[in-house]
Amino acid sequence: MAQQHNDAPQNTSLTAASFKAVHLSRLESGETMAEIIHVPLSELPPGEVLVRVQHSTLNYKDALAITGKSPVVRQFPMIPGIDFAGTVEQSADDRFQPGDQVILNGWGTGELRWGGLAQYASTKADWLIPLPKKMTTEQAMSIGTAGYTAMLCVIALERHGIKPESGPILVTGANGGVGSIAIALLSQLGYLVTASTGRVHETEHLLSLGAQAVMDRSALSSPNKPLQKENWAAAIDCVGSHTLANVLASTRYGGIVAACGLAQGMDLPSTVAPFILRGVTLAGIDSVYAPLAIRKQAWERLSHEFPERHRISTVRTIGLTQVIPLAEQLLAGKIRGRLMVDVHA
Ligand code: NDP
């Protein structure tokens, strides 16, 4: 049973007495137990804004939290889910009124405070952004944190002065959530994109997203020389480790690599050679604590620049009950694109 919070928001006007959620607890053995339970609404931790969640997503980080494979969850019991979109039901902050539609990404949600894989969430007003006018909650969460992170990467490349005529852009982890949306966004903006993947049998799909070429990720995943042939004007790396080292080593003079992920590993077995001999820039991308202004910019751009046909082709809708079994598959790299969760399905 979930822990009691005495100063939970007043809920007399609410329609639900309890809500369905993915619930994580820690067993004495140290393992994480994940289950679907009904949580009394009175047990929600206090927050300035109470949101009736409509859609969330199953992200790589959520899968780590649910399986307990990495210490993502900092306190138990926890409801995972690093993002959600829904409708404000109660607000103690003037910026949000009941009925407003909102998005939340990160800020420790699903790690330090109860998250979006649930029918209700309470949160700080500072952490919410209004849903862009052209978007539904379903569209927003089928793009989710992966799409928002992909857009942060694209913005980093643009801020560095990379233009379509600068040359080819490499995207690693191409069949994943971030990678597949990054390919579609870059292609839509006119860039020539090479997709690096371990699933070359998905080549047709990657080409349909707008990639010009597809390469097998094995060419990048093992130790190699610190400076290699200058192939890429820029890159978006979702993978880290040797892959990131090789991407840096094959980026052109003055180019930039936006690093956002660690699917191969946390390490970076590289040298300073690409930085001091080729002026390559390594740009770190963090979606969790990114300032509000760039979040709004990223979501506004996503509402205009991410083609609807690609949104549909990269997303699969699931219900809360499918979240736990699919978390293992996600970590095993068996899921293509995005998993959007309709928390009321
Ligand atoms: P997914 O699980 O959807 O995709 C990861 C992809 O990486 C896989 O589809 C696979 O692509 C590739 N991959 C998996 N394992 C390996 C491996 N051992 N070696 C090389 N490539 C591998 O995750 P997301 O796209 O949602 O996220 C990608 C990364 O970005 C994750 O590490 C995630 O934690 C991180 N992330 C970071 C954020 C930030 O704020 N910095 C925000 C969101 C995500 P393929 O099959 O095409 O090879």
Side-chain angles (χ1 to χ4, degrees), residues 59-61 145-146 149 173-179 196-199 217 238-239 243 260-264 285-288 330 333 335 337-338:
N59 292 283
Y60 193 86
K61 201 184 231 179
T145 297
T149 304
N175 270 300
V178 179
S196 165
T197 183
R199 288 178 271 180
R217 78 184 189 199
C238 303
V239 172
T243 299
C260 69
L262 73 174
Q264 185 182 13
I285 304 299
D286 169 54
S287 68
V288 179
L330 182 68
I335 307 289
R338 314 258 318 114

Side-chain angles (χ1 to χ4, degrees), residues 12-329:
T12 46
S13 66
L14 300 174
T15 49
S18 67
F19 64 96
K20 205 156 77 164
V22 178
H23 183 265
L24 306 180
S25 48
R26 173 164 278 170
L27 302 175
E28 271 179 24
S29 61
E31 285 171 301
T32 300
M33 181 169 80
E35 55 192 336
I36 306 288
I37 65 168
H38 278 89
V39 182
L41 205 52
S42 59
E43 291 189 9
L44 256 186
E48 294 158 346
V49 185
L50 178 70
V51 179
R52 183 174 192 267
V53 179
Q54 269 134 10
H55 296 96
S56 182
T57 58
L58 180 57
N59 292 283
Y60 193 86
K61 201 184 231 179
D62 301 323
L64 289 173
I66 290 165
T67 57
K69 293 228 162 97
S70 185
V72 166
V73 175
R74 254 73 72 69
Q75 59 187 49
F76 290 90
M78 179 55 66
I79 291 174
I82 62 168
D83 52 20
F84 61 78
T87 307
V88 171
E89 205 156 292
Q90 289 183 347
S91 173
D93 188 287
D94 288 346
R95 286 169 291 176
F96 297 99
Q97 308 301 326
D100 288 351
Q101 293 197 296
V102 290
I103 303 177
L104 181 138
N105 297 99
W107 299 111
T109 305
E111 304 175 57
L112 285 164
R113 69 181 287 139
W114 286 10
L117 288 167
Q119 294 170 333
Y120 275 92
S122 68
T123 188
K124 285 193 182 179
D126 281 350
W127 295 351
L128 293 170
I129 65 163
L131 186 72
K133 285 197 174 60
K134 285 184 68 178
M135 254 182 190
T136 62
T137 57
E138 181 179 356
Q139 285 169 329
M141 282 302 108
S142 58
I143 294 170
T145 297
Y148 151 61
T149 304
M151 183 55 93
L152 293 180
C153 292
V154 170
I155 291 171
L157 267 47
E158 289 173 343
R159 285 183 173 176
H160 193 73
I162 300 294
K163 295 189 166 49
E165 57 272 26
S166 304
I169 314 292
L170 177 68
V171 175
T172 64
N175 270 300
V178 179
S180 51
I181 297 180
I183 291 167
L185 288 172
L186 288 167
S187 161
Q188 179 76 3
L189 291 166
Y191 291 89
L192 294 179
V193 185
T194 295
S196 165
T197 183
R199 288 178 271 180
V200 281
H201 57 275
E202 296 284 4
T203 292
E204 207 174 308
H205 171 68
L206 294 169
L207 296 178
S208 76
L209 287 175
Q212 296 285 310
V214 175
M215 63 183 282
D216 193 318
R217 78 184 189 199
S218 60
L220 295 168
S221 56
S222 304
N224 202 339
K225 294 181 192 157
L227 287 176
Q228 300 164 28
K229 188 172 172 227
E230 296 180 50
N231 285 326
W232 322 111
I236 294 178
D237 178 61
C238 303
V239 172
S241 192
H242 291 296
T243 299
L244 177 54
N246 286 320
V247 172
L248 288 165
S250 54
T251 296
R252 291 182 185 172
Y253 192 94
I256 179 169
V257 178
C260 69
L262 73 174
Q264 185 182 13
M266 268 282 217
D267 57 332
L268 177 51
S270 184
T271 72
V272 295
F275 311 120
I276 65 171
L277 298 176
R278 287 190 183 157
V280 169
T281 295
L282 178 58
I285 304 299
D286 169 54
S287 68
V288 179
Y289 296 107
L292 210 58
I294 197 165
R295 286 170 187 263
K296 284 187 177 164
Q297 185 193 356
W299 276 106
E300 208 47 55
R301 285 189 60 176
L302 284 164
S303 76
H304 293 98
E305 294 174 24
F306 186 50
E308 182 65 6
R309 68 183 186 285
H310 292 328
R311 184 187 71 77
I312 292 165
S313 76
T314 54
V315 73
R316 175 173 153 201
T317 304
I318 59 172
L320 276 179
T321 50
Q322 290 161 282
V323 163
I324 297 170
L326 284 170
E328 288 280 357
Q329 287 188 38

